[in-house]
Amino acid sequence: MLLRIHDLHAEIDGKPILRGIDLEVGAGEVHAVMGPNGSGKSTLAQLLAGREVYTVTRGEVTFDGKNLLEMPADLRAREGLFLSFQYPIELPGIANSYFLKAAVNAVRRHRGLSELDAVDFLVAARAKMKLVGLREDFLHRSVNEGFSGGEKKRNEIFQMAMLEPRLAILDETDSGLDVDALRTVAEGVNSLRSPDRAIVVITHYQRLLDYIVPDKTHVLAGGRIVRSGGAELAREVEERGYGWITGATESSDGMPVAAA
Amino acid sequence: MSSGTQAKDLVDDGEYKWGFVTDIESDVAPAGLSEDIIRFISAKKNEPEFMLEWRLKAFRAWLKMAAEEGEPDWAHVKFTPIDYQAISYYAAPKKKDGPKSLDEVDPELLATFEKLGIPLAERAILAGVAVDAVFDSVSVATTFKEKLAEVGVIFCSFSDAVQHHPELVRKYLGSVVPVADNFFAALNSAVFTDGSFCYIPPGVRCPMELSTYFRINTANTGQFERTLIVADEGAYVSYLEGCTAPKRDENQLHAAVVELVAHERAQIKYSTVQNWYPGDKEGRGGIYNFVTKRGKCAGAHSKISWTQVETGSSITWKYPSVILQGDDSVGEFYSVAVTNNHQQADTGTKMLHIGKNTSSTIVSKGISAGQGQNSYRGLVYVAPGAEGARNYSQCDSLLIGDKCGAHTFPYIDVRNPTSQVEHEASTSRIGEDQIFYCRQRGLTQEDAVSLIVNGFCKQVFRELPMEFAVEAQKLLSVTLEGAVG
């Protein structure tokens, strides 16, 4: 099992957010984690990626058999864990190409591969940019600075393609995307599906899952996985909302309100 | 100021007047400052009478300033008063006769340069850079002189210039920074022992980038370098200055003066990477860097450009300035100043618009980490006659951690209504989210900081010659090591 989460409890500033998560994701699988706002989806994503603001109070997480929680964030990345950010961060003055080449080579060194030189990098980058429909001049722009919402998300998937992670966690990759951009991004992700790579898609809405069809779907509520199923569970959520699972109605963010 | 008064008292008391015997064979002058010491330095360097007179004039001006006001105290820096009588104002290398080539240079000296990453000969040849290495006040090696001489460029130590080109020295020395300009410039003028001199004749584009590595070595020897660069009509020169210094326990004073003169259509590009010892983590033992750098765009369509990367010294007090006297002349100032631990920097520029249609650009990037204090202090002055003058200033500060400080003191004095002056400023902090983003892509914390800082400084780095830009980036990473805990 590539990722194994057992009884994970975590809090921020003394406030419990995750209250006992159990989840197993194998290589080659695509899992969707859905849930209403405040259910702990993003916390789970950020915690797995190594963000230090969260305190794990109980439980364990292993990544390919290694204790993930003991690794610093950069080591997790080099070990092959990738997080596509819900809100990608701007790095003014740093060219995309420069940033990504540094990242790719950090990962390659860790895997015992030779570093890419400028030419190899450019060849690889050109090929991968096509996956998400980005133009080459994009490489010379500062990382995420002045990017539209769609460009930022496409950039995340482009980075994923370049870094070739073993586990990719996509945190609300669909938010802020119009239908066309959504399709492009989803196609990019689908092209990266492979037998030795796992993908965890975190989303509030089901629409992304029309394009990236998951093997398994989990519904997160109140810091716990309250239901798991196949791709059909996502469609059920789309039709009925979260209320029938979580026992509460939801209306604050435009989700269709289902009868409890 | 006690030390200044002390200096004056000593001279007035006559304690040194007859008591001090000039020993011309001595390699190190006894500590202290007096007219006799100045005569000693001048005699030691076999200077013509005009130089001695000029030094004495400066010394008297300094005594007056020391007695009346003391060290300038307007800068945003704190330090214990300097005892000018405890400083030795002259130290020569051990070897008696100056070496005629690199082969004659003390191998130990060369080894030190090696350690600093300056393999003089190789580097000079590989990089096509002529290096006039200043080591403890006296030049010990000069390369590429002949090649430069072919096109008529004079590039030599200041001492050599005094000996071989006294007419040029006499004409230009003090023409941009007068002896009584300020406390530290006056002190420098009185006691400077060496430095670099450069003259580019009319219409000549200097065939290589000129470079000097300054280095402080002997304990308790104040360094008073003097640099004078003159670009005659239509000439061009790019000059690089880089500095490092070894560890030291006592604070060391460094008060250099750099004067640039650009005649009609001439261009001078002056780049500095300064990395003197900044003191230990508690701020002990760093260099005091009180420098006066000023250029004069004397002729129409001339241009002077200062680019500096200041990462060292415990105190930096430095305002490379341009007097835009010729019509249509251009002044530029690009600066990165880093303060970490207990370092203090008060740096900036002065752009003095006097000629018509003169323009200036100021880009200042201040980085503060640890408990560092970083101030930008700049003056943009537009004289009544400076029709159509333009200035653009941008001052950005980057904070790392929450114990450091960034301050901006822009002074704008505009006396001509047709001029245009723009000022932009920003302050930002390296975000925890930025660092996390970089780390999530596999970069270590230190690589992440260095990446973000380099992005912040890019506008300035791209003004540096390629080699220097690479060095500057590395230097920045080293300086900020461990700054984000």
Side-chain angles (χ1 to χ4, degrees):
Chain A
M1 199 51 61
L2 188 60
L3 176 72
R4 191 191 298 268
I5 304 174
H6 176 64
D7 194 28
L8 183 65
H9 288 68
E11 58 180 43
I12 184 166
D13 301 329
K15 187 181 158 222
I17 310 231
L18 302 183
R19 305 158 184 264
I21 302 258
D22 287 285
L23 180 67
E24 294 194 350
V25 182
E29 296 174 2
V30 174
H31 288 229
V33 175
M34 303 185 72
N37 288 343
S39 58
K41 301 190 298 290
S42 279
T43 297
L44 179 63
Q46 300 243 333
L47 189 149
L48 291 176
R51 186 129 213 177
E52 280 145 9
V53 294
Y54 304 102
T55 311
V56 172
T57 50
R58 213 163 98 190
E60 56 206 40
V61 181
T62 57
F63 181 54
D64 199 16
K66 293 176 191 161
N67 184 345
L68 187 75
L69 299 178
E70 273 181 357
M71 298 181 200
D74 45 310
L75 181 58
R76 296 182 197 193
R78 291 194 294 272
E79 283 281 318
L81 189 154
F82 177 90
L83 172 65
S84 170
F85 282 59
Q86 181 178 5
Y87 304 107
I89 308 298
E90 299 187 0
L91 302 175
I94 303 160
N96 247 324
S97 55
Y98 184 81
F99 173 68
L100 194 52
K101 183 161 167 267
V104 166
N105 283 332
V107 170
R108 287 181 67 90
R109 275 196 305 274
H110 187 73
R111 293 180 187 165
L113 299 169
S114 63
E115 293 189 26
L116 295 185
D117 63 21
V119 177
D120 294 340
F121 173 79
L122 199 62
V123 170
R126 275 186 187 138
K128 308 281 185 182
M129 284 170 82
K130 283 197 188 117
L131 291 179
V132 285
L134 286 169
R135 288 204 320 272
E136 197 177 322
D137 61 347
F138 173 84
L139 282 175
H140 310 299
R141 290 167 62 186
S142 294
V143 179
N144 293 323
E145 195 185 30
F147 286 18
S148 69
E151 282 176 323
K152 283 184 181 174
K153 294 300 171 73
R154 281 193 271 175
N155 191 27
E156 295 292 288
I157 303 308
F158 167 51
Q159 292 183 6
M160 172 182 162
M162 289 298 289
L163 291 167
E164 300 178 337
R166 291 193 289 166
L167 170 65
I169 301 167
L170 313 183
D171 188 7
E172 309 255 357
T173 294
D174 51 336
S175 68
L177 295 185
D178 60 31
V179 177
D180 290 336
L182 184 72
R183 189 177 295 129
T184 312
V185 165
E187 280 166 7
V189 173
N190 283 331
S191 72
L192 297 172
R193 289 177 88 144
S194 97
D196 45 10
R197 176 173 298 142
I199 300 176
V200 174
V201 180
I202 290 178
T203 181
H204 187 122
Y205 303 107
Q206 184 265 344
R207 60 175 192 163
L208 180 64
L209 305 177
D210 283 341
Y211 301 100
I212 306 171
V213 180
D215 301 306
K216 286 184 183 141
T217 305
H218 312 275
V219 174
L220 193 63
R224 278 191 202 95
I225 288 175
V226 291
R227 183 166 301 211
S228 296
E232 77 291 343
L233 178 60
R235 279 190 294 277
E236 232 174 314
V237 167
E238 173 77 3
E239 282 159 23
R240 304 176 60 189
Y242 288 111
W244 64 281
I245 303 171
T246 63
T249 53
E250 186 198 15
S251 60
S252 58
D253 59 355
M255 273 293 293
V257 180
Chain B
M1 176 53 55
S2 62
S3 53
T5 319
Q6 210 180 346
K8 197 175 184 303
D9 288 348
L10 283 170
V11 176
D12 288 352
D13 289 352
E15 196 175 321
Y16 275 97
K17 207 167 181 182
W18 310 110
F20 175 65
V21 182
T22 314
D23 175 8
I24 200 76
E25 293 303 306
S26 162
D27 281 336
V28 179
L33 185 53
S34 66
E35 288 211 1
D36 273 321
I37 288 286
I38 289 161
R39 286 175 197 281
F40 168 81
I41 294 169
S42 194
K44 196 78 189 162
K45 305 191 70 63
N46 194 28
E47 288 179 347
E49 188 62 22
F50 83 87
M51 280 298 300
L52 177 61
E53 286 309 317
W54 193 79
R55 286 175 184 280
L56 291 173
K57 200 172 131 197
F59 179 59
R60 287 173 200 131
W62 180 77
L63 279 182
K64 191 160 172 278
M65 283 187 260
E68 286 171 6
E69 295 165 52
E71 290 149 342
D73 58 1
W74 42 263
H76 191 80
V77 294
K78 287 196 195 106
F79 60 97
T80 35
I82 298 159
D83 182 357
Y84 294 92
Q85 295 303 339
I87 295 170
S88 168
Y89 289 87
Y90 183 84
K94 289 283 185 289
K95 224 167 170 184
K96 281 197 173 172
D97 298 318
K100 285 169 192 65
S101 75
L102 271 182
D103 304 339
E104 293 179 30
V105 173
D106 184 351
E108 269 194 40
L109 234 154
L110 289 176
T112 317
F113 278 123
E114 288 282 342
K115 265 184 231 156
L116 289 170
I118 312 161
L120 197 57
E122 279 179 61
R123 188 186 183 116
I125 293 160
L126 283 173
V129 169
V131 176
D132 173 15
V134 175
F135 192 93
D136 271 57
S137 318
V138 174
S139 296
V140 291
T142 302
T143 51
F144 283 102
K145 232 180 195 169
E146 290 86 3
K147 198 172 170 189
L148 290 169
E150 274 173 33
V151 289
V153 171
I154 302 167
F155 179 43
C156 60
S157 71
F158 209 96
S159 314
D160 280 358
V162 170
Q163 297 305 318
H164 304 297
H165 309 282
E167 71 296 342
L168 286 173
V169 172
R170 192 170 193 163
K171 183 172 175 189
Y172 291 108
L173 181 64
S175 69
V176 185
V177 180
V179 288
D181 186 81
N182 67 68
F183 184 87
F184 295 111
L187 180 64
N188 172 285
S189 303
V191 303
F192 79 87
T193 46
D194 219 329
S196 296
F197 176 83
C198 178
Y199 173 79
I200 319 292
V204 171
R205 188 180 170 90
C206 189
M208 60 187 79
E209 277 167 339
L210 303 180
S211 167
T212 301
Y213 287 91
F214 296 101
R215 177 147 184 271
I216 297 173
N217 196 275
T218 306
N220 274 326
T221 305
Q223 287 274 299
F224 303 93
E225 311 289 351
R226 190 89 195 184
T227 302
L228 175 57
I229 299 173
V230 180
D232 218 322
E233 285 183 18
Y236 169 86
V237 62
S238 166
Y239 188 91
L240 321 180
E241 175 202 318
C243 318
T244 54
K247 223 177 166 102
R248 192 142 304 293
D249 291 321
E250 291 159 69
N251 287 311
Q252 281 192 303
L253 174 64
H254 186 95
V257 172
V258 177
E259 292 179 282
L260 312 180
V261 180
H263 287 289
E264 202 175 314
R265 293 185 319 282
Q267 281 189 33
I268 302 175
K269 184 174 171 59
Y270 192 106
S271 314
T272 306
V273 171
Q274 186 267 115
N275 180 31
W276 278 320
Y277 183 54
D280 62 17
K281 287 235 151 83
E282 277 70 49
R284 282 187 299 257
I287 304 288
Y288 289 180
N289 189 20
F290 299 106
V291 187
T292 304
K293 287 183 167 175
R294 195 174 304 153
K296 184 156 80 179
C297 283
H301 298 280
S302 56
K303 178 178 175 182
I304 289 178
S305 189
W306 297 101
T307 306
Q308 60 173 25
V309 176
E310 306 279 320
T311 62
S313 300
S314 72
I315 298 175
T316 300
W317 182 100
K318 183 180 170 187
Y319 315 90
S321 305
V322 185
I323 301 168
L324 297 150
Q325 188 178 297
D327 291 348
D328 301 289
S329 58
V330 177
E332 292 176 338
F333 174 74
Y334 296 96
S335 169
V336 167
V338 184
T339 53
N340 196 358
N341 297 322
H342 286 265
Q343 280 178 284
Q344 310 172 67
D346 193 299
T347 184
T349 184
K350 285 188 280 189
M351 292 292 175
L352 309 167
H353 293 257
I354 294 161
K356 292 183 178 56
N357 300 316
T358 47
S359 70
S360 61
T361 304
I362 299 171
V363 176
S364 164
K365 304 275 182 176
I367 301 166
S368 315
Q371 298 177 55
Q373 292 293 327
N374 210 319
S375 304
Y376 166 80
R377 186 181 303 278
L379 169 67
V380 175
Y381 170 76
V382 179
E387 295 287 324
R390 292 189 311 278
N391 163 266
Y392 171 74
S393 301
Q394 183 188 340
C395 302
D396 298 324
S397 304
L398 186 68
L399 302 173
I400 304 175
D402 54 9
K403 291 193 182 72
C404 53
H407 316 270
T408 306
F409 306 96
Y411 301 87
I412 298 172
D413 183 353
V414 178
R415 301 180 179 216
N416 183 303
T418 65
S419 60
Q420 261 185 351
V421 175
E422 283 177 74
H423 181 92
E424 283 179 27
S426 78
T427 302
S428 55
R429 197 177 286 279
I430 289 195
E432 191 264 330
D433 53 352
Q434 287 179 319
I435 290 178
F436 179 65
Y437 189 70
C438 295
R439 292 182 68 197
Q440 213 302 304
R441 296 303 182 248
L443 304 176
T444 61
Q445 171 122 333
E446 309 232 303
D447 286 346
V449 171
S450 135
L451 191 82
I452 293 164
V453 167
N454 280 317
F456 176 74
C457 299
K458 200 173 173 188
Q459 249 179 307
V460 173
F461 285 170
R462 69 176 175 215
E463 297 296 326
L464 289 170
M466 183 60 103
E467 277 228 339
F468 245 33
V470 173
E471 247 176 71
Q473 286 196 13
K474 281 187 198 150
L475 198 54
L476 227 60
S477 313
V478 173
T479 308
L480 292 172
E481 237 164 56
V484 179

